[in-house]
Structures are given as C-alpha cells and as structure tokens.
Amino acid sequence: MAEFAPARGAGHALTMVDRSLRLSARNVDAVLVSLVLPVMLMLVFVYFFGGAIDTGASHGDYVTYVAPGVLILCAGYGASMTAVSVTRDMAEGVIDRFRSLDVGGTAVLTGHVVASTVRNLAATAAVLAVALAIGFRPTADPARWLAALGVLLAYVVALAWLAAVVGLLAHSAEAAGGFTFFILFLPYPSSAFVPIDTMPGWLHGFAEHQPVTPVIESMRALLLDRPVGDALWPALAWSAGLTALALPLCALAFRRRTA
Amino acid sequence: MRGTTAVEAEGLRKSYGSVEVLRGIDLSVPRGGVFALLGPNGAGKTTTVRILATLAQADAGRAVVAGADVRRERSLVRRRISLTGQYASVDEMLTGAENLRLTARLAGHPRRAARRRADELLERFALGGAAGRRVATYSGGMRRRLDIAACLVGTPEVVFLDEPSTGLDPRSRQTLWDVVRELASGGVTVLLTTQYLEEADQLAGRLAVVDGGRVVAEGGPAELKARVGGRRLHLALRDADAYTRLVSALGPRAVHRDPEHRTVELATDGGAAHVRALLDEVDPTRGEVTRFEVRGATLDDVFLTLTGTPPTAPAHAAGSHREEPVRG
Ligand SMILES: Nc1ncnc2c1ncn2[C@@H]1O[C@H](COP(=O)(O)OP(=O)(O)OP(=O)(O)O)[C@@H](O)[C@H]1O
Ligand SMILES: [Mg+2]
C-alpha cells in the first residue's frame, strides 16, 4: 500500500478516462445530436444565407469563411454535454464509490475532460468532412493544418474544464444544460459567421475581444495560408487563461460538493 | 497491528438544517468479525456509516477507523476500507464486468489482476451469465449483488455494508452471508446495517441498536436478548373482546400485542409455576385463552422493546405512535 501518491493519482485518472470514453461510446446518439445541429447550421448558413452575406473577396466561398465558426459551435455543444455528464455523475451514487476508493476530483474530472476532447475531435472530423464535401477549400500545408487544429484543441480543452466547473456547480442536468445557452451564443457576436465590421458599432468592442474571435481568426489564417498576424497569441492566451482559471475552480467546487 | 478496535466513534453528531440526525453516537467495533447496526427507518444508520466511511463529516465527535482518523486522515481511511452504500453506486451504461474491472483497477489492481478479480466475483455472485450485459438491464437484486461485489474487489481491513441484503432473494442472501462470514474469518471487520433481525442474529458477534440518532443498546445478541427478559408467554385469545379486555388489563406488561391475530406476550421465566400463575391471572374463567406457548426472546423483541413501544395495528395505535419498525 506504500504507493507513490502521484503515480496512484495518474493511475486513477487513466482509469477514469477509460470509463468516460466507454460511457461516451455507449451514448453515441448524444454525440450524434451534438454533431447534427452544427452541420445543419452550416448547411443553412451556406445555402440559405450564404448568398446574402458578403465576407469580402479575400475569403473565397462563404463555406470557407464559415467552417471554422461551425467547428467552434460544435465545441460549444460538446462542452455542454460534458457539463451535463459531470452533473449526472455527481448526483448519482457512483461518485460515492469513487470517493470511498480515494479517487480524487482531479482524476474524475480528467476522465470527463479527456473524453469530451476525444468526442470533440470526432465531431470536428465529421464537420470537416461535410465542409470539404460542400466546397470548403483550405490551402494550408500539413504543418499549418496541425497548427489550426492545435488552436482549436486548446479552445476545446478550455471549454471542457469550464464545463466541468459548471457541471460541479449545477445540481440538475437541466441547470447544467443552461450553460449551453451562453457557450452556444458566444460565436454569434464574433467573426464566426459574418465579419465584425458588418455588425452595429456598439458590438465591435465585445466582438473583437471575446475569446471566439481570435480563435477563429487564427484558424482561418492558418487554414487559408494567410499571415496569422496578431490573432494567434490572444487565441492561445484565452484558452490557456480559461483553463488556468477553471482548474482551481474545479478543485474547489469538487471539494465543496463532496464536503 | 493497529490495536484491537476497528472502529471507535465518540459522540458523533450531525444535523441537516434544523434536524438533528445524530445526537452523539458512540461505537466500539472490535477487529475481525461482524458488527451489525440495527434501527428503525430514519434512525441514523446510513448517516453513521457515511461518516465512518469519510463520505460525510460529523458536526461534532471523533472517529477512528482502521487506525486512522476520519477527519484528519481521510485518505488513509479510504485506502483501508470499502463501502457498499444503501443506494446503487454502479454505472448503468457499463456492463457488470466493466464496472467490476474499473473498480478493481481503482482499488490498485493492475489490468490483468483486475480482470481476474472481476471474473471471480461475478461467478461468486451468480452474475457470470449477465457479466457482458449493461447494468441498466439488470434486475434490482442483480444490481444489489453487483454493488456488493464491487465492494470486495480490494483487500480492505474494514468493510461497510449498508443494508446489503435488501432486495435479495433467499439464495442470494445466503451467498452474501457466506461471503460475510468468510471475510470475518479472514480477519476483516464487517460493519453492516440491516432491517433483518435474523440477519444480525445469524451473522453478528456484536450489535448496536440505534434509535433517534443514539445508540440505545450495544452488545452480543445473547446479551441483548437476556436484557429484555429471558422468555415470553405467548397467548392466543378467543375473540376480539377477550383480546381488548386483556390488553387493557395488562397495560405495559404486554410486551407484544397483535390485534389481528389476537395474540399477546408476557414476560416469564418459563418455569411451570410462573406460567400456571400467569394463566390463572389473565384467564380466571379458563375460557378466553385458546392456546399458549413459551418462547425465547428474539432480537425482534430487543428491537421493539428498545426502539419504542410494542407495535400495535394502526387502528389501535396511539396518536403519538411513530413509524412502525420494519420487521424481518
Ligand atoms: N442529506 C440529507 N438532508 C436532510 N436530511 C437527511 C439527509 N440525509 C439523511 N437525512 C435525515 O436523517 C435521518 C436519518 O437518516 P438515515 O438515512 O441515516 O437513516 P437510516 O437509519 O439509514 O434509515 P433507513 O433504515 O430508512 O435507511 C432521516 O430523518 C433523514 O431524513
Ligand atoms: Mg439507511
């Protein structure tokens, strides 16, 4: 029993990742739902509104403009699913079993966050496949592709930890689902679907400085082989900052919830 | 080793809001063997177990479990105990086998050993055939068995089982009892709560009766039975009139009453002289008592005597009478 504590914690986290992945695989319907909506939105944007939206010549087709935004939207759906599953775990007896086995909150939540990230990567692949099929034509080389995915991944992980905090604070799945609203709303007042300069002036300040815009602008620039400019660092700083904020909040909320 | 007591609790108190649930629980559970916590619904058994298993914190009092303090050495306690709570704590969407393997790995087994341990336990609890099915498709008793099995994947020093046999059929209960006895004979301390007095009688070397958040009696089954009087004279009355008359004449001397079957019990030493005298006293006309029987006191008697007035049928119950204790 004289185990090295960090090794024990890491073992627990790995086992919890395994559990959360298995649970996700059993819940494919939910994953599909979280996928179908963004894809439908993409189709609506591209085919219904796309003709009316002028994003400027440099962006090419509207689908090329909007695809990164749809990926961000997907990340939002994924995160709200994560919040709900954390809430469920905390409400059910299973958390007592984990606690009585001395499994810490970090391990339990790491399981959720990793599974959330994996679900999101699958969703991203599916959305990209549809986007490519309807005319998305990024021009990036593999290195820039990876960089774009990296930027997205950092954002997805940050959202997942935030979702975990929300899941711990909420006492019902419905309450946790309310998180959806905020996270899903965030891409609209950003450059995700239309350029910011087409929005009313009072919105510019928020739209330019909220996290979604730099993430999207970085992805666009990377995928379309344009200079990344000054969007990349804010994007990474937002993701890192939100994660750094969420981690201690998670620990705190878990301790309060299980006190 | 860590002394001779597995669980030592002193003055545990706990309130939820303004409701005082535990009012100073003292317990001393010897190492090895089975200790049963008995008490009516709402007595505070689950709350006590959760505090001892570090899942809840007492407002006052202290407890040492498996040599570690539940408040200051929580992690240490957790590594030395295992718990099956009153309510299911398995993943519905995973299969029985997955649940046990997962738990075994969390308990520190490497992957292969975890698989082996899970298979053993599935066989043991007659879940081999359902091992590959999702728990969501299990019956209530199967779930309960899985829950108990999950508690046994590791090598705990103290095992807490909160109403382990609730919902089990007689055969499963027998398996549970065998497992509990094996654990105890292997030196593990088992602390269980139960509503089944027979279970406590069969398994427990010692028991505590909890009522209203306090321990109202503690001791061995024989000791407790002796405390409520050695034997009972069990009388069956001819009709409802005779029953009513006798009950009102005896008052609190009737240690047990059953209006439905028109039976009454009185304390006796079981000697012929005392029984004859009692019969003459309660039935001077020799027409009202149709049958009699001398019985040993059961844990039922202990339970009913210690946790309130003897139960009567609702029609006869006094207004202040509270929830009727569940009988095994
Ligand atoms: N989380 C809680 N919030 C409020 N009250 C609670 C809570 N947990 C328990 N109680 C109350 O504490 C009292 C004791 O509950 P407990 O579950 O410990 O009883 P028990 O002896 O296990 O009963 P049972 O035989 O029904 O399982 C009950 O009156 C219950 O309503
Ligand atoms: Mg209980």
Side-chain angles (χ1 to χ4, degrees):
Chain A
M1 278 285 155
E3 275 171 285
F4 184 50
R8 192 181 141 86
H12 281 168
L14 272 178
T15 307
M16 295 313 284
V17 167
D18 182 4
R19 163 180 181 264
S20 291
L21 285 175
R22 278 172 199 272
L23 288 172
S24 300
R26 298 293 148 81
N27 205 359
V28 174
D29 337 3
V31 179
L32 281 179
V33 168
S34 73
L35 234 175
V36 166
L37 246 106
V39 167
M40 298 243 303
L41 270 171
M42 175 163 69
L43 297 177
V44 167
F45 272 111
V46 171
Y47 290 115
F48 296 2
F49 308 150
I53 301 173
D54 181 12
T55 56
S58 62
H59 289 296
D61 280 347
Y62 183 65
V63 59
T64 301
Y65 180 83
V66 85
V70 175
L71 294 179
I72 292 292
L73 205 55
C74 241
Y77 278 101
S80 85
M81 203 170 132
T82 304
V84 170
S85 61
V86 169
T87 301
R88 289 235 169 84
D89 258 13
M90 297 305 292
E92 280 167 13
V94 68
I95 194 69
D96 281 347
R97 160 133 296 139
F98 297 147
R99 290 174 64 212
S100 74
L101 287 159
D102 203 31
V103 178
T106 311
V108 174
L109 297 171
T110 300
H112 281 286
V113 167
V114 171
S116 174
T117 307
V118 170
R119 287 196 301 264
N120 247 303
L121 286 178
T124 298
V127 169
L128 278 176
V130 177
L132 288 169
I134 63 171
F136 178 45
R137 290 293 172 265
T139 50
D141 58 21
R144 290 190 137 230
W145 260 104
L146 276 183
L149 287 178
V151 171
L152 178 65
L153 191 67
Y155 181 71
V156 160
V157 169
L159 276 194
W161 280 110
L162 279 180
V165 175
V166 172
L168 289 171
L169 294 177
H171 283 261
S172 71
E174 289 73 22
F179 178 57
T180 317
F181 176 78
F182 179 71
I183 287 293
L184 292 184
F185 175 75
L186 215 48
Y188 293 93
S190 83
S191 64
F193 305 117
V194 293
I196 291 176
D197 51 32
T198 65
M199 295 177 189
W202 55 268
L203 205 53
H204 287 192
F206 177 75
E208 273 159 19
H209 294 105
Q210 64 129 318
V212 170
T213 297
V215 171
I216 288 197
E217 288 306 322
S218 305
M219 289 176 67
R220 253 183 213 137
L222 286 164
L223 290 174
L224 299 182
D225 232 355
R226 287 190 283 115
V228 181
D230 48 11
L232 188 59
W233 299 118
L236 294 178
W238 265 115
S239 300
L242 289 176
T243 307
L245 180 73
L247 282 173
L249 284 180
C250 259
L252 199 70
F254 189 86
R255 231 172 299 134
R256 273 201 46 175
R257 191 68 196 269
T258 56
Chain B
M1 283 310 292
R2 279 186 260 278
T4 53
T5 42
V7 176
E8 190 79 60
E10 264 175 42
L12 294 180
R13 292 180 165 273
K14 177 90 183 170
S15 302
Y16 287 108
S18 61
V19 186
E20 231 186 332
V21 175
L22 301 186
R23 304 157 189 258
I25 293 268
D26 300 313
L27 278 181
S28 178
V29 179
R31 276 190 92 74
V34 183
F35 189 98
L37 221 48
L38 285 171
N41 291 140
K45 303 181 296 294
T46 298
T47 309
T48 304
V49 166
R50 287 179 62 84
I51 289 172
L52 294 177
T54 75
L55 295 185
Q57 289 219 14
D59 300 335
R62 44 167 234 114
V64 175
V65 173
D69 186 286
V70 292
R71 198 187 299 270
R72 285 177 289 116
E73 301 166 298
R74 192 192 280 198
S75 198
L76 215 51
V77 173
R78 287 182 181 176
R79 280 178 224 184
R80 294 176 184 164
I81 63 161
S82 74
L83 161 79
T84 290
Q86 185 168 2
Y87 307 104
S89 60
V90 284
D91 274 312
E92 295 261 307
M93 295 302 282
L94 297 182
T95 67
E98 282 174 325
N99 267 296
L100 289 190
R101 282 180 214 148
L102 182 94
T103 311
R105 276 168 59 201
L106 292 176
H109 288 297
R111 201 176 281 264
R112 293 249 318 257
R115 179 176 291 263
R116 205 165 44 234
R117 186 73 188 128
D119 289 346
E120 276 166 25
L121 285 166
L122 287 163
E123 280 314 315
R124 185 74 210 258
F125 284 91
L127 290 167
R133 264 167 48 197
R134 290 184 196 187
V135 174
T137 69
Y138 282 20
S139 74
M142 290 165 79
R143 244 173 252 221
R144 196 69 196 134
R145 265 141 55 202
L146 186 67
D147 230 345
I148 295 165
C151 177
L152 304 175
V153 293
T155 45
E157 293 176 35
V158 181
V159 174
F160 293 98
L161 300 170
D162 196 357
E163 297 199 23
S165 56
T166 301
L168 294 188
D169 62 23
R171 177 187 295 198
S172 309
R173 186 168 303 167
Q174 198 56 55
T175 307
L176 170 71
W177 289 2
D178 291 344
V179 169
V180 167
R181 288 193 187 106
E182 268 167 44
L183 282 171
S185 66
V188 176
T189 310
V190 181
L191 191 155
L192 55 84
T193 77
T194 180
Q195 300 283 359
Y196 299 101
L197 298 146
E198 188 204 349
E199 186 163 83
D201 212 0
Q202 287 270 338
L203 290 177
R206 288 183 75 76
L207 48 99
V209 182
V210 182
D211 191 29
R214 273 198 194 91
V215 175
V216 294
E218 187 178 345
E223 209 178 308
L224 290 183
K225 285 181 209 168
R227 194 185 302 187
V228 295
R231 321 202 115 232
R232 302 258 181 270
L233 178 63
H234 179 91
L235 305 171
L237 281 305
R238 197 192 54 208
D239 54 29
D241 276 351
Y243 172 84
T244 318
R245 236 176 295 130
L246 183 58
V247 164
S248 63
L250 286 173
R253 283 178 63 204
V255 292
H256 187 75
R257 289 171 280 173
D258 181 350
E260 197 183 325
H261 299 103
R262 299 191 304 275
T263 59
V264 172
E265 284 184 3
L266 290 164
T268 171
D269 61 9
H274 190 234
V275 170
R276 191 176 287 133
L278 277 176
L279 282 172
D280 283 340
E281 180 201 338
V282 302
D283 186 15
T285 60
R286 303 197 171 186
E288 313 242 290
V289 173
T290 54
R291 280 180 295 108
F292 77 88
E293 210 177 306
V294 177
R295 294 180 169 177
T298 63
L299 277 183
D300 252 314
D301 299 315
V302 175
F303 189 75
L304 297 175
T305 310
L306 292 173
T307 64
T309 51
T312 56
H316 291 252
S320 66
H321 200 282
R322 40 177 222 152
E323 219 174 340
E324 188 162 335
V326 174
R327 309 188 52 191

